[in-house]
Amino acid sequence: MIHREGLPIVITVFVVLLLINLGFYWLIPAKVWILRILMLVSLLLFVFVMNFFRNPSRPIAKNDPSVVYSPADGLVVAIEECEEPEYFKDKRLKVSVFMSIWNVHLNRVPFDGTINYFKYHEGKFLVAWLPKSSTDNEHTTFVIKNTQNKEILLRQIAGFIARRIATYVKTGDTVKQGDELGFIRFGSRVDLFFPLGTPINVKMNQKVKGNIDVIAKI
């Protein structure tokens, strides 16, 4: 399936590539080798765009309020203690998942609860795996609070290529594990902030998938 965020782009790319190929066909019909190369490049580009906006079916195998599933597909690039200055204003355990252009870019709700806090921040577009991108880059911050009054903070961070963060929830919304949380275009990162001492189930440089891999137990 193609995610709704990508449908306008996929359709636009298809129409533009079709017009370019038809234009070259009418202008230089005798240059068959040029037309073949152009068609191949166009096909590869279209498949790349389709692949980026793919939306695979990822039902939660088991809804478990005691675990936090990965909100994104990607690579674990940070597991560290750090200050969280925006909401908690104290030391937290941060886990960061970097999404390359080859990963699924739909972000999913990691555990059941209520959106207790939401804020969008304008910013720079540094390479997303850099630590300072967490606060310097354009980003959105969510805090999800469960029925046991436990809170985790999740941050969507735009990367060097990413230029749009879409969010589908707002303060006060009740969310469930696996629901769509948002979408970041073209390379980005998601940070999760846990209380110190939270058991973490992933390791550095581990590849994770949203709705499948458990990041932590709360």
Side-chain angles (χ1 to χ4, degrees):
M1 295 177 60
I2 301 300
H3 194 271
R4 63 184 181 276
E5 289 290 335
L7 283 176
I9 295 177
V10 170
I11 293 171
T12 300
V13 170
F14 176 80
V15 172
V16 169
L17 291 176
L18 179 63
L19 292 176
I20 290 174
N21 279 266
L22 289 175
F24 270 80
Y25 176 76
W26 288 326
L27 289 172
I28 49 172
K31 301 290 185 178
V32 177
W33 64 274
I34 295 179
L35 297 176
R36 287 178 177 174
I37 292 174
L38 179 62
M39 288 176 64
L40 177 60
V41 172
S42 299
L43 178 62
L44 291 175
L45 178 59
F46 185 67
V47 169
F48 168 77
V49 174
M50 291 271 287
N51 183 68
F52 180 85
F53 289 106
R54 67 193 185 279
N55 182 18
S57 177
R58 292 273 183 80
I60 293 284
K62 179 184 178 183
N63 186 275
D64 187 345
S66 70
V67 304
V68 178
Y69 284 101
S70 177
D73 290 20
L75 186 71
V76 177
V77 294
I79 303 173
E80 60 189 9
E81 292 184 11
C82 64
E83 289 288 332
E84 196 298 295
E86 180 178 351
Y87 180 81
F88 293 115
K89 296 180 171 61
D90 61 12
K91 274 205 167 186
R92 293 278 150 169
L93 182 57
K94 181 178 74 173
V95 178
S96 301
V97 177
F98 173 74
M99 295 173 283
S100 75
I101 57 174
W102 308 111
N103 291 124
V104 174
H105 274 62
L106 173 64
N107 301 147
R108 307 168 194 271
V109 175
F111 81 138
D112 294 347
T114 301
I115 303 297
N116 211 31
Y117 174 87
F118 167 76
K119 189 172 183 179
Y120 166 77
H121 302 265
E122 294 184 353
K124 302 175 183 177
F125 296 96
L126 304 173
V127 178
W129 61 72
L130 294 175
K132 62 182 179 179
S133 68
S134 182
T135 53
D136 290 359
N137 279 22
E138 177 182 332
H139 62 276
T140 57
T141 301
F142 306 84
V143 175
I144 305 175
K145 184 177 183 178
N146 70 5
T147 55
Q148 286 77 42
N149 292 322
K150 294 181 179 179
E151 293 179 316
I152 62 167
L153 185 148
L154 185 149
R155 185 168 288 145
Q156 293 176 296
I157 303 164
F160 178 70
I161 302 175
R163 286 293 186 268
R164 183 171 187 270
I165 300 176
T167 54
Y168 308 138
V169 297
K170 61 184 182 301
T171 303
D173 284 354
T174 299
V175 293
K176 293 185 177 181
Q177 280 179 331
D179 288 351
E180 291 191 4
L181 181 70
F183 197 100
I184 317 177
R185 291 181 182 173
F186 302 115
S188 42
R189 175 174 144 191
V190 174
D191 287 350
L192 290 159
F193 291 83
F194 301 96
L196 296 180
T198 300
I200 302 299
N201 279 38
V202 293
K203 298 177 180 179
M204 283 290 294
N205 299 316
Q206 178 179 334
K207 293 181 179 179
V208 294
K209 288 189 176 181
N211 281 11
I212 294 177
D213 292 291
V214 173
I215 297 290
K217 293 188 176 183
I218 49 173

